[in-house]
Amino acid sequence: MTLAELQRDFRVWLTHASPEAARRLDPRAGMGMTVYQNNYRAQLVGVLEASYPQLHAWLGSSLFLEAAIRHIDSRPPHGWTLDAYGADFEATLSHMLPDNPDVHELAWIEWSLSESFVAPDATMLASDRLAEIDWDIARLQLAPSLRQRSVTTNASDLWSALQQQTEVPESEMLATPGGVVTWRQGYTCQLKPIDAIEHEALLSLRDDPRFSALCDALVARLGEEAGIARAGELLASWISAGIVTDVD
Amino acid sequence: MFTPPPTFAGFGLGLRKEHYRDFLETDVPVDFVEVISENFMVDGGQPRHILRQVRERHPVALHGVSMSIGSADGLDHAYLRRLRALVDEIQPLFVSDHLSWSRVAGFNSHDLLPLPYTREALDLVCRHIDIAQEALGRSMLFENPSSYVAFADADMTEWEFLAAMSRRTGCGLLLDVNNVYVSSRNHGLDAQAFLRGLPAERVRQIHLAGHTEVTDLLIDTHDQPVCDDVWSLYAQAMSLLGPVASMIERDDAIPPLAELLDELAIARCISERAHDLREAA
């Protein structure tokens, strides 16, 4: 058996528990191959639990384990780091629990926070620079740790209550869909629910980072006075929160 | 041709999250710390920030678990570039990984899977070590793994494989004494022969850890104190080796730092006794 054949058989044993593959690798059929199989699966369950502690608490151990097993069986790991294994757990949950948007959104929040935690560093924009900026041509630079998505449930409230170990509210649909952002301010991860207007405004900056374009979009949506006022208000809050980290 | 890194005769601990505060706020009496490289091969954030602060206080050894030096598919060059960036920033005491494999055909087991000790595997591992050391611009250490199966078609023993690998590539060796004990018990090998078979002058670092016994097999769990048999084997290793860095490696059921420092004190004591005996001989 060549090394390549041995490694292919090992993969088949780990992912499918194929007895034929195990026999080819260890004709004595000792306990050793079972140890590797157990290590493989236990480690993946463990990393999902570590990546999603609040989701684990929300679903309960039994349902979480069922989702983890389904994920392990359908999505073997491929990345160089074990920490990346939970990246598409939300997809498994969406398939397994299609009618629970709160679960999907809770999973997204938890994963995005972990991505924000190790995203590239960025410094806060110094307030003394603001006076020098020509806002007609200014381009806003978003924090590299910023993640956002639209939401339909109060998943961010659920996550915060679970994380702070306070009374967890009932899961409910929002009166109007909004958004949620995660990012890192210094070394501290942040989570904030945002309304649909702020969500769209941040999304638009990814296509066109000019502040003037943001103003135009908000004026078109809210009218001249309210649009300009909202643009200023959003900019101030993004700069103070470290969501906008630079302006060129 | 690379040569093993300079010797460093110190005593250290694996740096784990539970002890970050101790290492950042107090003067922990260790000569070096070892970190899991992959935990810090990230773009930014607190992990890298903490490592930079610890590095200001202690020499740091980078210990990897994902190089997969024995993959028949070849090495992951993006991984090597990330590791190189970390090496350049931290300027580590040692850079190490395991004599094992994890990846095949896009699949990553994230386990330190065993290699057959064949000439084919030796050639492949040596080619990969050459590539890795070139990519990192420095020599590495490779650790003997624990194993739970031994392949029937081996051409040589594990220690013969390690010795040939080190001689051909210039890499150093990281001797995990607990792994020698675990594999020897699991496969009915002679642990003393393992130690005697290694090229002592190429060993730069020693790991000491605990294991668990499950249905006649020892499992390398790193969640227990070092057991008496492993301490005995460490004493024998230290009687054979020259100056070498020794450390306690605990990855699970992490106790208070003081308990690990107590274990490290035992290692210092055994090492000093072995040194005195060598001097007297």
Side-chain angles (χ1 to χ4, degrees), chain B residues 81-93:
Chain B
R81 283 192 294 277
R82 273 187 179 269
L83 180 57
R84 173 67 189 251
L86 184 63
V87 166
D88 286 347
E89 181 179 354
I90 298 302
Q91 293 296 310
L93 184 59

Side-chain angles (χ1 to χ4, degrees), chain B residues 10-265:
Chain B
F11 294 85
L13 291 178
L15 178 68
R16 303 293 179 258
K17 280 180 196 164
E18 291 79 354
H19 302 140
Y20 280 171
R21 180 161 286 183
D22 295 296
F23 276 92
L24 294 175
E25 296 178 0
T26 67
D27 188 15
V28 180
V30 295
D31 303 312
F32 72 101
V33 297
E34 183 189 84
V35 300
I36 302 300
S37 310
E38 288 78 6
N39 291 347
F40 300 92
M41 288 162 60
V42 292
D43 292 324
Q46 201 172 43
R48 204 72 177 240
H49 176 61
I50 287 172
L51 183 58
R52 281 192 286 267
Q53 293 177 80
V54 171
R55 179 67 185 89
E56 287 173 12
R57 292 164 170 252
H58 301 284
V60 169
L62 295 178
H63 185 52
V65 294
S66 296
M67 186 171 283
S68 193
I69 203 73
S71 275
D73 291 350
L75 293 172
D76 177 344
H77 291 271
Y79 171 90
L80 288 175
R81 283 192 294 277
R82 273 187 179 269
L83 180 57
R84 173 67 189 251
L86 184 63
V87 166
D88 286 347
E89 181 179 354
I90 298 302
Q91 293 296 310
L93 184 59
F94 302 124
V95 182
S96 61
D97 208 294
H98 300 79
L99 175 60
S100 62
W101 68 279
S102 309
R103 272 185 303 103
V104 59
F107 165 75
N108 196 328
S109 68
H110 295 290
D111 197 359
L112 303 169
L113 300 176
L115 284 165
Y117 298 122
T118 60
R119 277 183 282 280
E120 181 205 8
L122 179 63
D123 289 344
L124 176 129
V125 164
C126 289
R127 277 199 308 278
H128 288 173
I129 292 177
D130 289 341
I131 293 168
Q133 292 186 144
E134 281 296 334
L136 300 178
R138 58 181 293 154
S139 60
M140 294 185 64
L141 309 182
F142 282 90
E143 175 182 340
N144 57 298
S146 287
S147 63
Y148 314 113
V149 292
F151 301 111
D153 53 356
D155 298 320
M156 63 196 94
T157 61
E158 183 177 344
W159 56 91
E160 287 168 341
F161 192 106
L162 287 160
M165 175 191 86
S166 177
R167 192 173 57 246
R168 280 172 55 174
T169 65
C171 75
L173 299 176
L174 193 170
L175 171 61
D176 189 314
V177 177
N178 179 59
N179 289 353
V180 171
Y181 183 77
V182 166
S183 294
S184 298
R185 278 275 307 270
N186 287 346
H187 308 311
L189 303 175
D190 179 351
Q192 280 77 28
F194 194 122
L195 295 181
R196 286 194 304 273
L198 290 177
E201 74 285 359
R202 291 181 172 273
V203 176
R204 290 291 181 271
Q205 190 182 347
I206 286 187
H207 276 174
L208 291 158
H211 56 260
T212 303
E213 183 157 6
V214 180
T215 55
D216 297 334
L217 272 181
L218 298 188
I219 315 290
D220 182 31
T221 47
H222 291 195
D223 60 353
Q224 306 278 332
V226 179
C227 73
D228 289 346
D229 287 345
V230 171
W231 282 127
S232 298
L233 204 54
Y234 174 62
Q236 290 165 48
M238 293 310 288
S239 71
L240 298 169
L241 303 175
V244 65
S246 298
M247 59 163 279
I248 307 295
E249 190 185 33
R250 182 69 79 88
D251 292 313
D252 218 340
I254 308 281
L257 186 64
E259 284 184 31
L260 296 180
L261 289 170
D262 286 347
E263 281 198 286
L264 198 58

Side-chain angles (χ1 to χ4, degrees), chain A residues 125-143:
Chain A
L125 181 61
S127 56
D128 58 0
R129 281 199 51 213
L130 298 179
E132 311 159 359
I133 292 167
D134 180 349
W135 292 102
D136 288 340
I137 57 168
R139 298 160 67 89
L140 308 184
Q141 204 170 100
L142 298 173

